[in-house]
Amino acid sequence: MSKAVLTPEQQEFQEYARRWLAENAPPPPPERLPITAIEVMTVGQRDYLQAWQRKCYDAGLVGADYPTEYGGGGHEGFQRIANMELGRAKVPFLINIVGLNMAAPTILVHGTEAQKEKFIPGCLSGDEIWCQGFSEPGAGSDMANQQTSAVPDGDDWIVNGHKVWTSLGHFAKWMILITRTSKDHKYDGLTYFLCPIEGHDGVTVRPLVKITGEAGFNEVFFEDARVPDAYRLDDVGKGWTVAMTTLTYERGAAESAGSGGGESVHPTQRLIELARDTWRDGECAADDPVTRDAIMQRAIVAEGMRQNGRRARVEALCDHPMRLPLQQKLTSSEFVQDNARVGVDIAGAKSTLYKLDERAPSKGYWPLAYMNSYGHTIAAGTNEIQRNILGERVLGLPKSK
Ligand SMILES: Cc1cc2nc3c(=O)[nH]c(=O)nc-3n(C[C@H](O)[C@H](O)[C@H](O)COP(=O)(O)OP(=O)(O)OC[C@H]3O[C@@H](n4cnc5c(N)ncnc54)[C@H](O)[C@@H]3O)c2cc1C
């Protein structure tokens, strides 16, 4: 972000964030970290990442733009700067991605005063990990087809049903949960809850192991689980509208409470380093014109995405409020896949060496990145669905039959 577009306060904050991150980078993790938060599997990884998020929060780098009464910094336009600096510093990622990017912003828009005060601080500090209970065996792309039911019982609701693909569910204290409260209306029959998970009666979390061997996903079963009405977010029957707010944030159409760190900022740098370290028949891959061209292509797409991101921040340059964010989700998820494929191509046969093998290039990053990359075009709504939304709502094409 160039200094010219920052106010003096924002410039000062940027310098502070840079300095703080240089002085406070955490010690090496006690055990290898996964590539993103949704593959965090062990208690050791969780504790390390939770402590790091807490430290960033205490330093004002998370929740910077949230109101102070809900645990935020009370600033304007600081979070984007913090996110950039976290990425630039190549520090570990923040673990509470559902809390930061989905729960907190949704509660801020739809919550009561009491809900905002109770829930938002834990999302920001990372002390309370959140998961998202939207997907069900029959309700992925067709999200309005929710079957998990919530039936009123005095001051509580009784929840029964089955959620699936619940990232971070094994460590979550809370879930953002969509339920069916009426069978008479598809969309108006949904209600949204902030649901206790960890150790809660009637809730069972069962890990699902992915192709990578990591267990970041879960199934969550509700059997007569009691949820107080005080944890209902917005009105009964308003669940679809509230879920749309969550999806707007999940699909990147708005600045969230905090993100950054991890792998996000120098996507082609890893490829360059890999090419420099890879030798075949006495030739360095970095000298091979085909490899150089493939990396250059990735760099061009990365720059296009960066410029689109900048353009999305200037209202006068946006013809439709949803176009650039939807387009970025499509491009960035395919970008991750293409990068991983180029990495695997460069590493060649060695790319099959897994993370525990000392001979594996980049400490076994590439096979993990490759296998995980397929989730990116599915999570947060598949790219087919994104294309439908772009076609129908942004380009105004006729609805598919
Ligand atoms: C890495 C990852 C993390 C996830 N984390 C979570 C989480 O934490 N919480 C959660 O609730 N969910 C999570 N999910 C689930 C995710 O949101 C769903 O997988 C996704 O919405 C797709 O739903 P589905 O798997 O039921 O596929 P389906 O809806 O069954 O779709 C199958 C295929 O048919 C296509 N298709 C379906 N309908 C149409 C249509 N109308 N037009 C064109 N094509 C269509 C789809 O694009 C897809 O290719 C996660 C998924 C992944 C991969």
Side-chain angles (χ1 to χ4, degrees), residues 5-272:
V5 298
L6 300 182
T7 65
E9 292 75 26
Q10 288 170 338
Q11 263 184 46
E12 205 179 304
F13 178 71
Q14 185 177 46
E15 279 154 27
Y16 156 75
R18 233 171 243 184
R19 206 172 47 245
W20 188 88
L21 284 162
E23 288 166 4
N24 290 279
E31 54 192 305
R32 182 197 177 95
L33 293 179
I35 295 174
T36 69
I38 60 175
E39 290 99 30
V40 174
M41 199 165 67
T42 69
V43 170
Q45 292 168 335
R46 179 202 60 191
D47 290 351
Y48 174 83
L49 290 165
Q50 232 175 347
W52 171 239
Q53 181 165 336
R54 175 83 220 191
K55 202 167 170 189
C56 292
Y57 170 70
D58 289 341
L61 300 189
V62 182
D65 295 351
Y66 270 62
T68 48
E69 56 273 37
Y70 313 135
H75 301 289
E76 221 174 278
F78 277 27
Q79 192 59 55
R80 189 181 296 278
I81 297 167
N83 293 351
M84 296 265 303
E85 296 305 325
L86 280 161
R88 208 192 300 267
K90 292 193 183 164
V91 287
F93 50 78
L94 304 174
I95 184 173
N96 200 17
I97 49 163
V98 176
L100 292 172
N101 301 337
M102 295 170 230
T106 308
I107 295 167
L108 191 66
V109 174
H110 295 276
T112 61
E113 208 52 34
Q115 287 171 336
K116 290 179 199 174
E117 284 170 15
K118 177 176 171 60
F119 292 111
I120 293 178
C123 292
L124 303 180
S125 67
D127 292 350
E128 298 189 341
I129 292 180
W130 285 72
C131 64
Q132 179 193 30
F134 283 18
S135 298
E136 296 185 4
S141 302
D142 186 9
M143 220 182 68
N145 192 32
Q146 300 286 324
Q147 301 302 319
T148 294
S149 63
V151 176
D153 183 45
D155 288 340
D156 295 336
W157 293 78
I158 308 293
V159 177
N160 279 289
H162 175 190
K163 298 286 172 177
V164 72
W165 315 129
T166 319
S167 306
L168 281 168
H170 50 303
F171 290 138
K173 193 170 169 65
W174 297 97
M175 173 188 269
I176 42 175
L177 169 70
I178 315 183
T179 63
R180 178 151 299 288
T181 44
S182 159
K183 288 188 179 151
D184 298 338
H185 312 277
K186 186 166 179 180
Y187 294 92
D188 295 342
L190 300 174
T191 302
Y192 198 117
F193 289 94
L194 309 171
C195 178
I197 293 293
E198 193 181 59
H200 194 59
D201 275 352
V203 177
T204 308
V205 180
R206 259 190 231 152
L208 291 167
V209 179
K210 296 193 219 182
I211 190 174
T212 55
E214 290 157 335
F217 281 144
N218 302 271
E219 289 183 281
V220 182
F221 298 90
F222 295 91
E223 287 163 293
D224 291 334
R226 231 165 230 286
V227 182
D229 189 55
Y231 295 167
R232 172 171 45 78
L233 192 60
D234 215 316
D235 296 338
V236 176
K238 273 282 193 68
W240 180 255
T241 310
V242 184
M244 287 305 115
T245 302
T246 307
L247 287 190
T248 305
Y249 284 91
E250 183 177 6
R251 291 173 181 168
E255 192 67 32
S256 50
S259 59
E263 301 293 329
S264 55
V265 157
H266 301 292
T268 46
Q269 193 56 36
R270 267 188 184 274
L271 289 172
I272 295 170

Side-chain angles (χ1 to χ4, degrees), residues 32 350 352-365:
R32 182 197 177 95
K350 283 195 178 166
T352 56
L353 297 176
Y354 200 43
K355 55 188 173 184
L356 298 178
D357 194 313
E358 282 179 5
R359 295 163 302 165
S362 316
K363 296 186 179 157
Y365 170 87

